[in-house]
């Protein structure tokens, strides 16, 4: 039953996506050139419908006319100097002036065609993404719900059947004047169990062993937080940043290459992009406003107020204090991809602890992983010092594992 | 039939004493503090908590606790809002700065983590301190986080605002300027060109008043400056070049410990203590107390304070051919020394620790005779860090008492504590109209001042200095002020009506005075280079010849007039507390004194024979207290002070350290006694040698002493320390002075290294093998390494009581052994008993740094039931705290007794709240974030700074290169001024430690037990004729 729901959901979602994408595509056919040029030349300072460093571009055409705009864009200062009163006024009104842009008349036209078409597309995009999300979440939610409902119905059904069967048997017995061989449910079970001694014994043993095993597992997982996915003060979506926008992990987590911690980026790193991007496709301005609040950025005046409020993120990956872990050791010296331990972060909406981060998990990797020793003078020296016997032993499997250079010794991580 | 024999539990039972009868009915014979635990009966009965309630709470508590244990707390991570570009979380930043508190000076490097300074090392760019530092400078980083520091400016002891303070002080000063009153500034010696300029500007601002700056050193060198003035017409302290001296004679100068620029002196001294060189310096020490310097001397001659001048005079006599008549019991030795000195003219050095101008004049005359003023002593490039004038201080106190001083501004010094006439100063201070102290921590002086313009710690302040000659150094802040404090220079600038910051001011001074002398064209370039290096140094000015114009005859008259006292006193500074400016620092209090090995106290030192004669205790341990006495010098009285037997102390003399008698950490009671009032005044200068009026009366109370070493000799076991003489070393085979340890087997003697209980595990042909080479010849025992080990490895402070129980936590200790007069070949019980006793009159001393020896066949590893201590392929003996269950088998089986057990949760248990700096949020800031703070019940020990090894290896791997020798340094090796401790990779064939390991002097401690340590020691070679077994 749930499967059916899922399929139908998927079908409609697909249909919806197809529809929206095609509308966006059709409406932006003429603007495609303009979008490219806009993003390459203007987007750092301008937005279609919002003041950034420069004013919102929507409506400019109506206000100033295409000819004036063309002259201004190509060289604002010469336009001002030529005695144009409007240009002089605009020039004085902003603290920082627009530099001359190397764009052709056609490109300017294309930009403004795009600008006028822009809002439609934005609304479309906003509508699309949550729709996808909703379909997905509704679908996964209904799955469990359906299962529970089915189970409950089945239980009710079987108990009704059981009771009616008993009632019927009782009726038959009464009619035949016989005494019921057993009085109640409990006794029936006892009698049944007596008859199937072996089966019951096996079941008990299996349950016992299974229970112990389960209990053992639970105890072993005390303090293991695989799958930990706490809510964060700002709805930061890794899938949007690292997945959709393909921002390299190291851009924000730059200290992963330098030292021990990967480093939660400071808010000024966010501002590198979000100075210009004040509105997200998924959460609108609400979440980005939290960054502005933290760094003390006033989007209206485009300036810093100096009032800073540090963001208190919830730490997802927690190692006990008695372990020393160094990111640069693994990322730079070891050449590991971040995903090796952190999982497909670029697909995670809310960040989740992908690996158990237990010592067994660490050790396993150290046993299997080959050291990136080729072309590294440090390891050349290491090999040169080894006796032939040890070298042969270590390189038996064709690789030098972390374990073989002492990566499983206590003092490498515990001090 | 059973036996009818009767047994008694003891004499008490047999005698049926009343106490026994009374006690026999009780289950426990001793008093059980049940009431203390439960409260008295009445309270119990009135309590509203019933037994059932109690059990309910208990049950709920246990359940709650176990449930809570399953759920991890939510951990928040708060990144910078605006990350400074140079800060990377988890990566240390190092800044060059300058330590200069008036008593000590060093150009330093400060390690900061996420903006917190956590460790201090010496700056090798400096030619003044050459990368060295001492224990106090190393520990100064903890003083930054001292919660006893003043947190706001004060007015009459109450917190006030800077605006109020500035307005009122400026009004007061302005009034004095209008009236032509007297403004006095009393500070420690100022060598800083910027501070001098700032004070000059201040004087200009209040030009109507009589403004004068008085410099004051708690430990005065004014007599020496005075003597140089009369001897050569240059009233200054010269630069001493100990590295050029072949024969060194010190008369009471502790130049390796506390005397002037001892950091540089010990580096220079150590450079000539290497027997592998063609020659080795010869060091004679005449002194009263057994000082750090005396403990390193080749020949030490114990003399009384009253004899020190006579020794100098006698030496002058011997050198000059008997122009003055003087007689000492040491003339034979002095004649010998004179001969040696004459043979190396211009390459010797004679110094004296006394501040008596007469003695210094004679010493000047000796050095002049020896032609040292062109080579080992440089009076052209002077040493500027001691400029205090006792005469000016005396004059100031007189003025103050006359009520003539309108305003007194007192730097971060404490004259009310450190002046011998402190009471007079205090009464004078009360008569001063406007008194302002710049103290950073409340002290005796600031308590008497009307205003306290709370000064910042040096790590929060900008500074510069001109310590000597053409050497300049810069001090930059490494952290914003933790409290509402302001450095003295800034306050004075503001009061001078300037809005310039000290930073800009110093920059300006450097631009106008120094930039032109540099080869950098742009000032920004010059400034940045100097700031990065911490120093700006120019070639020394060519030494001008000096001519001696002093009056030796007059000096001889003064010296001859010194009478011998019944008891004489030599006041000294300890390596930990110095002049007491940092005595609130728990690391320094817990640092064992390099000689006595006593912590948390000062005491009177007395020769053991004198102590026995006068009935003082001579052995100190958990159950063995010291005996107290009352010490009087003239009018100064110390009511009760413990007396400690100190071998090597001249008989008939006593010693006592200054720097105590203050409150330490959060302890309620004062630690030790203040010995500054005992200082003598000779010829207008304060003097540490007190010959008259000393009286020591036995009180006889017991006083617990916390000593980290209670056995003082090596009991004839050559395996612990090997020593020989320079002559033997130069002429004999290794087997003579450093024989290979052989074990007797059925097949004859076999080298211990060829015998093993275990199968061999590879040592040579594996990756690294970290190890050390420690040269006993250059280890002076200064203990800077102990402090830096503390700082680097988060070693807990445990307090006096625990140290007394032998539970000190130092990962690195310096064992100090005295020689014994007993026959060390007598291996009977009686023989060993005799060997336990050090030579009383003049023992020779060995300082041996002792830490985990990282044995290749470690005793500890084999006995650990949970494999918490294991061996790494890199030769390290690893200690895994999280695996340790605290059986302490390892400590029992350790041949070197270097393992330390966490008996308590030192960072949490209330018993240690008064002493452990980590029990306070501020004190925790000094912790090294790369190292675990160990929990109760686990063993810990030296890890050879494994965190630094890992960091060094990682840097090499990341850069794709091999680890360079010397690149990785343990905290102790980095703190070692003289380079006695060397760390490196023993498997690196060209490393310094490999050479140390292969040297003829190399031995390992207690090698015969076959532990095969990775720590090698270099045999001690003394430059003397014969050696006692």
């Amino acid at each position: 039953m749930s499967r059916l729901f899922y399929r139908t959901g998927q079908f409609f979602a697909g249909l919806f996506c197809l529809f929206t994408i095609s509308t966006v595509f059709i409406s932006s056919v003429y603007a495609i050139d303009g979008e490219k040029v806009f993003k390459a030349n203007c987007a750092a300072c301008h937005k279609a419908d919002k003041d950034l460093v420069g004013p919102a571009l929507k409506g400019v055409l109506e206000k100033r006319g295409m000819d004036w705009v063309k002259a201004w864009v190509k060289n604002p200062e010469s336009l001002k100097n030529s005695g144009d009163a409007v240009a002089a006024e605009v020039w004085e009104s902003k603290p920082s002036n627009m530099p001359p842009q190397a764009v052709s008349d056609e490109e300017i036209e294309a930009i403004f065609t795009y600008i006028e078409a822009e809002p439609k597309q934005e609304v479309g995009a906003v509508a699309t993404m949550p729709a996808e999300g909703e379909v997905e979440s509704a679908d996964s939610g209904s799955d469990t719900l359906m299962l529970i409902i089915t189970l409950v119905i089945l239980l009710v059904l079987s108990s009704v059947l059981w009771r009616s069967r008993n009632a019927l048997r009782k009726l038959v017995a009464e009619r035949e004047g016989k005494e019921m061989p057993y009085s109640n449910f409990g006794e029936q079970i006892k009698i049944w169990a007596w008859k199937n001694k072996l089966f019951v014994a096996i079941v008990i043993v299996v349950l016992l062993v299974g229970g112990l095993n389960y209990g053992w597992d639970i105890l072993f997982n005390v303090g293991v937080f695989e799958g930990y996915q706490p809510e964060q003060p700002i709805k930061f979506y890794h899938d949007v940043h690292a997945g959709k926008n393909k921002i390299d992990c190291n851009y924000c987590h730059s200290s992963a290459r330098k030292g021990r911690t990967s480093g939660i980026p400071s808010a000024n790193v966010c501002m590198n992009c979000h100075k210009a991007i004040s509105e997200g496709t998924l959460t609108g301005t609400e979440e980005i406003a939290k960054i502005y609040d933290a760094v003390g950025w006033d989007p209206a005046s485009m300036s810093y107020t100096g009032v800073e409020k540090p963001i208190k993120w919830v730490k997802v990956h927690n190692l006990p204090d008695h372990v020393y872990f160094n990111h640069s050791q693994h990322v730079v010296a070891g050449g590991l991809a971040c995903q090796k331990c952190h999982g497909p972060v670029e697909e995670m909406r809310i960040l989740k602890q992908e690996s158990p981060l237990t010592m067994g998990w660490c050790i396993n990797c150290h046993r299997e992983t080959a050291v990136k020793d080729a072309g590294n003078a440090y390891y050349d020296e290491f090999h040169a010092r080894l006796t032939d016997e040890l070298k042969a032993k270590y390189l038996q499997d064709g690789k030098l594992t972390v374990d073989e250079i002492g990566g499983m010794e206590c003092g490498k991580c515990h001090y | 039939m059973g036996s009818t024999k009767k047994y008694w539990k003891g004499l008490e039972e047999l005698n049926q004493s009343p106490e026994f009868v009374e006690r026999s009915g009780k289950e426990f014979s001793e008093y059980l503090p049940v009431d203390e635990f439960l409260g008295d009966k009445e309270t119990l009965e009135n309590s509203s908590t019933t037994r059932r309630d109690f059990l309910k709470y208990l049950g709920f508590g246990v359940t709650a606790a176990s449930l809570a244990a399953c759920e991890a707390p939510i951990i928040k991570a708060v990144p910078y809002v605006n990350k400074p570009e140079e800060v990377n979380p988890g990566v240390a930043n190092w800044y060059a700065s300058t330590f200069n508190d008036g008593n000590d000076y060093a150009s330093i490097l400060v390690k900061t983590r996420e903006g917190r300074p956590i460790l201090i090392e010496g700056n090798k760019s400096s030619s003044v301190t050459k990368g060295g530092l001492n224990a106090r400078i190393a520990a100064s980083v903890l003083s930054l986080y001292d919660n006893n520091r003043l947190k706001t400016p004060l007015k009459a002891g109450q917190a006030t605002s800077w605006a109020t303070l500035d307005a009122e002080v400026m009004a007061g000063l302005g009034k004095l300027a209008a009236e032509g009153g007297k403004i006095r500034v009393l500070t420690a010696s100022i060598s800083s060109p910027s501070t001098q300029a700032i004070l000059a500007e201040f004087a200009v601002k209040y030009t109507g008043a009589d403004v004068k700056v008085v410099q004051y050193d708690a430990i005065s060198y004014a007599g020496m400056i005075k003597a140089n003035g009369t001897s050569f017409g240059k009233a200054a302290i010269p630069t001493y070049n100990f590295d050029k001296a072949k024969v060194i004679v010190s008369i009471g100068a502790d130049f390796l410990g506390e005397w002037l620029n001892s950091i540089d002196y010990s580096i220079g001294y150590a450079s000539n203590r290497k027997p592998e060189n063609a020659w080795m310096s010869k060091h004679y020490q005449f002194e009263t107390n057994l000082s750090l310097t005396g403990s390193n001397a080749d020949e030490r001659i114990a003399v009384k304070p009253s004899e020190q001048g006579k020794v100098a005079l006698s030496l002058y006599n011997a050198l000059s051919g008997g122009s003055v008549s003087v007689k000492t019991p040491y003339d034979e030795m002095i004649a010998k020394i004179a001969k040696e000195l004459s043979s190396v003219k211009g390459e010797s050095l004679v110094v004296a620790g006394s501040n008596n101008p007469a003695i210094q004049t004679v010493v000047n005359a000796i050095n002049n005779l020896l032609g040292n003023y062109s080579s080992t002593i440089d009076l052209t490039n002077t040493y500027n860090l001691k400029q205090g004038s006792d005469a000016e201080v005396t004059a100031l106190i007189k003025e103050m008492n006359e009520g003539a001083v309108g305003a007194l501004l007192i730097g971060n010094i404490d004259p009310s504590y450190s002046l011998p006439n402190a009471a007079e100063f205090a009464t004078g201070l009360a008569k001063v109209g406007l008194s302002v102290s710049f103290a950073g921590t409340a002290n005796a002086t600031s308590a008497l001042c009307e205003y306290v313009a709370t000064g910042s710690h040096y790590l929060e302040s900008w500074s510069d200095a001109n310590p000597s000659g053409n050497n300049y150094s810069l001090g930059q802040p490494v952290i914003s002020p933790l409290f509402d404090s302001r450095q003295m220079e800034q306050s004075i600038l503001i009061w001078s009506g300037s809005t310039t910051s000290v930073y800009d001011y110093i920059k300006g001074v450097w631009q106008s005075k120094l930039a032109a002398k540099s080869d950098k064209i742009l000032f920004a370039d010059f400034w940045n280079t100097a700031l990065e290096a911490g120093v700006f140094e120019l070639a020394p000015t060519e030494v001008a010849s000096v001519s001696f114009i002093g009056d030796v005859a007059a000096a001889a008259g003064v010296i001859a007039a010194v009478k011998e006292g019944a008891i004489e006193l030599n006041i000294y500074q300890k390596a930990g507390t110095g002049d007491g400016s940092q005595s609130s620092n728990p690391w320094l209090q817990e640092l064992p004194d390099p000689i006595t090995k006593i912590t948390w106290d000062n005491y009177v030192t007395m020769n053991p024979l004198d102590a026995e004669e006068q009935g003082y205790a001579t052995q100190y341990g958990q159950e063995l207290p010291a005996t107290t006495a009352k010490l009087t010098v003239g009018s100064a009285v110390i009511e009760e002070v413990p007396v400690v037997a100190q071998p090597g102390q001249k008989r008939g003399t006593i010693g006592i350290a200054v720097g105590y008698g203050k409150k330490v950490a959060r302890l309620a009671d004062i630690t030790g006694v203040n010995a500054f009032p005992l200082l003598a005044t000779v010829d207008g200068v304060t003097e540490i040698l007190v010959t008259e009026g000393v009286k020591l009366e036995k009180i006889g109370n017991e006083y617990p002493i916390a000593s980290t070493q209670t056995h003082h000799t090596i009991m004839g076991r050559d395996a612990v320390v090997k020593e020989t003489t320079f002559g033997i070393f130069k002429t004999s085979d290794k087997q003579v002075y450093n024989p290979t340890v052989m074990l007797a087997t059925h097949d004859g003697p076999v080298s211990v290294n060829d015998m093993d209980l275990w199968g061999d595990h590879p040592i040579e042909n594996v990756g690294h093998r970290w190890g050390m080479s420690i040269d006993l010849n250059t280890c002076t025992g200064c203990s800077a390494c102990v402090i830096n080990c503390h700082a680097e490895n988060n070693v807990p402070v445990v307090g006096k009581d625990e140290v007394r129980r032998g539970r000190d936590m130092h990962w690195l200790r310096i064992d100090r052994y005295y020689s014994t007069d007993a026959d060390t070949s007598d291996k009977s019980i009686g023989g060993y008993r005799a060997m336990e006793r050090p030579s009383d009159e003049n023992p020779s001393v060995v300082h041996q740094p002792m830490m985990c020896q990282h044995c290749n066949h470690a005793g500890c590893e084999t006995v650990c039931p949970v494999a918490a201590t294991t061996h790494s392929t890199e030769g390290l003996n690893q200690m895994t705290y999280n695996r340790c269950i605290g059986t302490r088998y390892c400590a029992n089986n350790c041949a070197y007794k270097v393992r330390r057990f966490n008996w308590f949760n030192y960072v949490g248990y209330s018993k240690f709240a008064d002493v452990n700096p980590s029990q306070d949020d501020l004190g925790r800031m000094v912790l090294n974030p790369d190292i675990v703070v160990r929990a109760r019940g686990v063993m810990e020990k030296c890890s050879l700074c494994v965190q630094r090894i890992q960091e060094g290896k990682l840097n090499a791997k990341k850069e794709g290169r091999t680890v360079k020798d010397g690149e990785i340094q343990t905290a102790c090796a980095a703190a070692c001024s003289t380079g006695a401790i060397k760390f490196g990779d023993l498997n690196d064939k060209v490393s310094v430690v490999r050479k140390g390991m292969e040297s003829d002097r190399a031995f390992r401690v207690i090698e015969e037990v076959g532990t095969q340590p990775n720590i090698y020691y270099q045999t001690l070679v003394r430059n003397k004729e014969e050696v006692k077994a």
Side-chain angles (χ1 to χ4, degrees), chain B residues 40-155:
Chain B
D40 54 50
K41 194 160 179 254
E42 202 185 339
T43 336
L44 270 182
E45 276 169 357
N46 294 337
S47 165
S48 60
T49 314
T50 62
R51 192 182 64 89
R52 292 180 63 116
D53 279 343
F54 172 74
L55 288 174
K56 273 189 238 165
Y57 296 144
L58 185 74
F60 175 76
V62 169
T63 322
S66 31
L67 279 176
C70 296
E71 198 53 60
I74 290 171
I75 299 167
K76 293 283 170 71
V78 187
Y80 282 101
V81 168
N82 210 338
K83 185 173 82 73
E85 203 186 328
E86 70 277 10
V87 173
N88 282 301
V91 182
N93 288 16
W94 291 80
Y95 297 96
S97 195
T98 295
F99 179 94
N100 183 10
D101 71 345
N103 195 39
D104 298 297
Y105 167 89
S107 179
I108 54 171
L109 298 177
V110 187
K111 179 184 184 183
T112 68
R113 274 291 298 268
E114 288 88 45
R116 291 175 296 121
I118 58 167
L119 186 80
I120 288 171
E121 287 182 4
N123 182 4
K124 290 200 165 57
S125 309
S126 164
S127 67
V128 182
T129 50
K130 301 187 178 76
L133 79 174
N134 67 21
R136 292 188 293 271
I137 297 169
S140 65
V141 67
L142 181 64
S143 298
L144 169 69
Y145 302 115
D146 184 355
N147 228 336
N148 292 340
R149 284 177 57 195
L150 290 171
K151 298 184 173 78
T152 58
L154 304 179
K155 181 190 170 185

Side-chain angles (χ1 to χ4, degrees), chain B residues 178-473:
Chain B
E179 291 168 359
K182 283 183 181 171
I183 299 175
R184 295 286 178 266
V185 183
L186 179 62
T187 73
S189 294
I190 303 167
S191 73
S192 154
S194 301
T195 308
Q196 279 163 357
I198 288 169
L199 286 168
E201 201 161 298
F202 176 75
V204 169
K205 160 86 180 174
Y206 297 101
T207 199
D210 165 20
V211 181
K212 196 175 163 198
V213 178
V214 177
Q215 299 181 54
Y216 162 69
D217 295 319
I219 298 293
S220 168
Y221 293 88
M224 199 173 165
I225 296 171
K226 197 170 161 187
N228 284 333
T230 53
S231 302
F232 303 106
K234 187 157 187 182
I237 291 176
T239 299
Y240 290 96
N241 299 315
F242 278 80
D243 55 333
K244 292 180 187 158
K246 285 186 172 167
V247 178
I248 298 162
V249 180
S250 163
I251 304 165
D254 185 8
F255 63 84
L256 296 178
E258 309 301 331
W259 191 69
L260 292 172
N261 191 13
S262 52
I263 296 171
D264 177 39
Y265 305 157
S266 49
I267 295 170
Y269 175 81
S271 68
N272 297 327
R273 302 296 292 172
K274 301 197 168 87
E276 284 80 7
N277 296 350
W279 57 273
M280 189 175 151
S281 68
K282 175 109 187 173
H283 171 199
Y284 296 95
Q285 180 88 2
F286 293 87
E287 63 177 9
T288 306
N289 302 335
L290 178 59
S291 73
L292 195 70
T293 311
S295 72
N296 284 288
D298 293 313
E299 301 279 359
R300 177 178 178 274
I301 304 102
V303 299
K304 287 188 171 183
S306 60
E307 291 169 340
Q308 291 197 8
K310 295 186 179 85
V311 166
L313 209 52
S314 172
L315 184 60
Y316 175 76
N317 216 16
L319 284 166
S320 64
S323 54
V324 277
S325 88
V326 67
K327 203 154 171 52
T328 72
Y330 324 103
D331 282 346
E332 201 182 320
M333 182 58 133
I334 290 170
K336 189 178 144 257
I337 295 170
K339 222 167 125 190
E340 273 186 50
L341 282 171
S342 315
S343 68
V344 287
K345 276 201 169 169
E347 289 176 314
S348 62
L349 196 48
V350 181
V351 290
S354 166
N355 198 27
N356 187 337
I359 299 181
Q360 291 295 344
T361 304
V362 176
V363 170
N364 286 348
I366 295 171
N367 280 316
N368 186 54
L369 274 179
L370 293 168
N372 291 338
Y373 277 95
S374 51
S375 56
T376 53
I377 308 178
D378 179 352
L379 203 45
T380 308
N381 296 287
T382 55
Y383 178 75
N384 308 325
L385 291 165
K386 302 286 175 188
Q387 300 179 9
S389 163
D390 291 342
E392 283 183 17
V393 174
T394 311
L396 172 68
I397 295 172
K398 196 164 156 259
E399 272 182 333
M400 283 159 63
N401 278 298
E402 285 164 359
V405 178
L408 181 63
L409 314 181
I410 307 169
N412 190 17
I413 50 171
D414 192 4
S416 274
Y417 162 79
S418 58
L419 275 169
N421 49 343
E424 213 180 316
F425 177 84
T427 45
L429 191 56
K431 292 177 189 164
V432 172
L434 174 70
S435 53
V436 185
S437 163
F438 296 103
T441 311
N443 59 30
T445 312
S446 73
L448 300 173
C449 288
E450 192 184 352
Y451 297 98
V452 182
T454 302
S456 297
H457 191 261
Y458 82 98
L459 290 173
E460 303 166 335
S461 312
W462 281 98
S463 67
D464 63 351
N466 171 213
S468 67
N470 299 329
N471 304 316
Y472 295 86
S473 70

Side-chain angles (χ1 to χ4, degrees), chain A residues 30-257:
Chain A
Y30 299 106
I32 198 137
D33 190 24
E35 182 181 3
K36 240 187 196 166
V37 183
F38 174 76
K39 282 194 173 154
N41 297 290
C42 323
C45 302
H46 291 281
K47 249 188 142 169
D49 50 0
K50 217 167 157 276
D51 284 353
L52 222 53
V53 180
L57 293 186
K58 205 157 208 211
V60 166
L61 223 48
E62 263 171 62
K63 214 163 140 192
R64 307 281 183 221
M66 185 54 104
D67 289 339
W68 185 90
V69 167
K70 277 182 185 165
W72 172 266
V73 169
K74 282 194 232 153
N75 197 342
E77 199 168 1
S78 72
L79 185 64
K80 180 201 84 174
N81 293 340
S82 71
D84 187 306
V86 178
E89 189 198 327
V90 174
W91 184 268
E92 296 305 322
S93 70
K94 290 271 174 186
S96 52
N97 290 307
M98 178 165 158
Q101 301 294 328
V103 282
S104 65
D105 286 351
E106 292 73 39
E107 279 171 327
I108 295 174
E109 277 161 27
I111 289 169
F112 279 92
T113 319
Y114 161 73
I115 291 293
E116 297 306 324
E118 163 80 345
K120 261 189 223 158
Q121 188 205 7
E122 221 169 40
V123 171
V126 170
T128 321
M129 291 294 285
E132 273 174 4
E134 270 160 29
V135 172
E136 229 171 288
S137 63
D139 181 61
S140 64
S142 69
D143 231 8
T144 5
L145 192 72
M146 286 313 296
L147 195 75
I148 293 167
I149 292 171
T150 323
L151 272 175
V152 169
I153 292 171
L154 278 175
L155 270 175
V156 171
L157 260 176
S158 55
S159 85
V160 166
L161 284 172
W162 174 270
R163 283 186 155 269
S164 49
R165 176 174 168 264
N166 265 6
L168 285 171
R169 286 178 82 167
K170 208 170 172 183
L171 268 176
V172 171
E174 261 171 36
R175 186 171 293 174
E176 290 177 4
K178 272 193 238 163
E179 190 65 20
M180 274 286 280
Y182 33 76
S183 54
N184 58 23
F185 185 65
E187 299 243 333
Q188 286 177 40
I189 294 278
K190 262 190 213 162
I191 291 161
W192 175 85
W194 188 246
K195 281 187 191 155
N196 305 285
K197 276 187 292 255
L198 186 67
F199 177 72
V200 171
I202 288 170
V203 167
I204 287 174
V205 167
V206 166
L207 281 180
L208 208 67
V209 170
L212 276 176
N213 186 36
Y214 183 67
W216 181 259
D217 273 356
I218 286 179
L219 287 178
F220 241 71
N221 281 298
V222 168
V224 177
F225 298 100
E226 193 174 347
Y228 179 48
Q229 195 174 20
E231 206 170 294
Q232 298 290 356
I234 297 179
K235 290 197 183 78
F236 175 85
Y237 295 159
H238 271 99
D239 60 348
V240 173
H241 292 80
K244 187 161 165 264
N245 295 329
K246 300 214 169 359
I247 300 171
D248 188 82
C249 305
N250 284 295
Y251 179 77
C252 303
H253 300 285
S254 57
S255 38
R257 279 187 185 151

Side-chain angles (χ1 to χ4, degrees), chain B residues 599-759:
Chain B
T599 63
W600 290 96
D601 261 313
N602 69 340
Y603 34 79
V604 164
T605 56
M606 183 188 270
N607 190 285
L609 296 172
D610 286 348
E612 273 171 4
E613 263 176 34
Q614 295 170 34
Y616 293 103
T618 56
Q619 297 279 314
Y620 320 101
Q622 187 178 350
E623 308 292 338
L624 301 169
T627 326
T628 59
K630 178 181 174 185
L631 177 59
T632 319
V633 176
S635 60
V637 182
I638 290 175
E639 287 301 338
E640 194 168 13
V641 59
V643 174
V644 164
Q646 173 60 57
Q649 179 87 27
K650 176 67 180 173
R651 291 201 67 180
T653 71
I654 54 174
I656 189 166
V658 292
Y660 284 82
K662 285 189 171 185
K663 282 188 77 166
V664 176
R666 292 173 293 284
L667 285 170
D669 295 330
I670 277 166
T671 300
V673 294
N674 182 9
F676 274 113
L678 307 180
L679 283 172
T681 304
V682 175
D683 199 4
V685 296
T686 56
E687 165 68 318
I688 51 171
L689 302 175
V690 188
T691 52
E692 285 168 36
V694 183
K695 215 162 78 184
L696 189 73
E697 296 156 273
K698 188 175 160 192
I699 296 175
N701 289 337
E702 292 186 340
Y703 186 91
I705 283 284
S707 171
T708 57
Q709 194 178 348
T710 49
H711 286 80
H712 302 295
T713 71
I714 55 168
M715 310 269 293
R717 295 167 301 169
D718 300 337
V720 178
V721 171
K722 290 188 179 172
E723 64 171 279
T724 185
T725 61
F726 190 48
I728 295 173
F729 176 76
K730 277 291 176 200
T731 52
S732 321
D733 183 67
K734 169 181 182 278
Q735 294 302 329
V736 176
Y737 57 85
N738 184 18
T740 310
V741 180
M742 304 299 269
L743 295 182
T745 69
H746 290 300
D747 309 321
V750 174
S751 161
V752 69
N753 294 328
D754 300 335
M755 289 242 334
D756 257 320
L757 282 176
W758 299 281

Side-chain angles (χ1 to χ4, degrees), chain A residues 260 313 315 378 385 409 411, chain B residues 75 77 768 873 878 930 985:
Chain A
R260 178 178 176 177
W313 298 97
K315 202 158 171 263
Y378 177 87
R385 283 188 195 178
E409 289 163 0
Chain B
I75 299 167
H768 304 286
T873 46
Q878 310 170 116
D930 288 340
D985 183 356

